[in-house]
Amino acid sequence: MRKWRDMPKIVDHDARRRHIAEAVHRVIHDKGMESVSLREVAAEAGMSMGAVQYYVTTKNQMLLLALERIGIWIGDRLAAVVAHQSTPLDVLRATVLELLPLDEKRSYLNRIGLAFQASSVVSEDQAAAMRIGLPALLSFLAEQIRAAQAAGQLAAHLDAGKEASILYAFAQGIVNATLVGHYTPKEVAALLDYHLARLRAG
């Protein structure tokens, strides 16, 4: 009878992919997109080249894996944040704030996101991957706007779809200025509140 220590190890492949993706994130954050390579990521992940190549064989595949992980990360964080809000307007506000670099974790994510935005301009694979999550986010924002309108929190005449795009554009437009210190987290929140106040019913 085989002893337990002789049994083959069960590998959690999803955990391995996540581990590799997070190593890519750290390389991008600390050294820049141009430093991403199989060798660099393997060293950062504490894995052999062969182990990494079992899951990804090219730099492009590594970047797409890392980009996919960012989408999952954002989705998980948004779900956790909005679950604690009591009204549609609170959900809307919390969702936009969660997309912004207002603390260490969100700043980390946004620095990586900016690197991907820049590289996606010349990489159709990355651009296509980045386009996947946007419709769902815009749809969610529009849904909360409609719910806030129904609750009498936002003006009834607003076009929910267009306002969702404006809020997304606000978030994207203020990221870089916040990262470089032009706006403080308090000022960013005040600007968002100013904008939402203009949309209120009455």
Side-chain angles (χ1 to χ4, degrees):
M1 183 174 181
R2 297 177 66 183
K3 297 180 179 180
W4 65 268
R5 62 175 175 270
D6 297 323
M7 298 296 288
K9 293 181 179 179
I10 298 175
V11 177
D12 186 336
H13 294 293
D14 287 338
R16 284 285 184 88
R17 291 187 183 92
R18 182 170 63 252
H19 184 65
I20 293 170
E22 290 172 353
V24 175
H25 295 162
R26 292 193 297 273
V27 171
I28 292 172
H29 181 270
D30 297 341
K31 301 179 180 180
M33 185 71 73
E34 65 280 0
S35 295
V36 175
S37 67
L38 287 167
R39 186 176 302 279
E40 190 73 31
V41 170
E44 178 64 35
M47 299 170 64
S48 68
M49 287 275 288
V52 171
Q53 289 177 309
Y54 179 84
Y55 299 97
V56 289
T57 57
T58 67
K59 176 177 178 176
N60 190 51
Q61 288 178 351
M62 281 195 303
L63 291 174
L64 293 177
L65 179 65
L67 193 51
E68 179 184 24
R69 183 61 196 165
I70 288 177
I72 295 171
W73 188 5
I74 292 173
D76 289 346
R77 287 183 65 87
L78 288 179
V81 168
V82 303
H84 294 89
Q85 308 306 315
S86 57
T87 72
L89 189 57
D90 289 337
V91 170
L92 187 65
R93 180 179 185 274
T95 299
V96 177
L97 290 177
E98 189 60 23
L99 298 173
L100 300 173
L102 305 184
D103 57 26
E104 185 176 347
K105 285 186 177 180
R106 283 176 285 179
S107 294
Y108 178 85
L109 178 63
N110 272 278
R111 289 188 191 101
I112 298 167
L114 281 177
F116 271 110
Q117 285 186 4
S119 64
S120 68
V121 174
V122 294
S123 171
E124 176 54 29
D125 286 345
Q126 290 179 42
M130 294 185 75
R131 288 194 297 267
I132 291 174
L134 182 55
L137 174 60
L138 292 176
S139 177
F140 179 77
L141 292 174
E143 179 184 337
Q144 300 312 311
I145 291 171
R146 294 188 189 97
Q149 289 175 305
Q153 293 182 299
L154 294 181
H157 71 274
L158 298 174
D159 184 312
K162 290 180 181 178
E163 294 298 341
S165 291
I166 291 170
L167 279 172
Y168 176 75
F170 165 84
Q172 290 295 295
I174 207 166
V175 166
N176 190 65
T178 305
L179 283 173
V180 300
H182 182 72
Y183 296 112
T184 67
K186 185 177 180 179
E187 288 171 335
V188 172
L191 285 170
L192 175 60
D193 288 338
Y194 176 80
H195 176 68
L196 292 176
R198 297 167 65 194
L199 307 182
R200 289 182 183 274

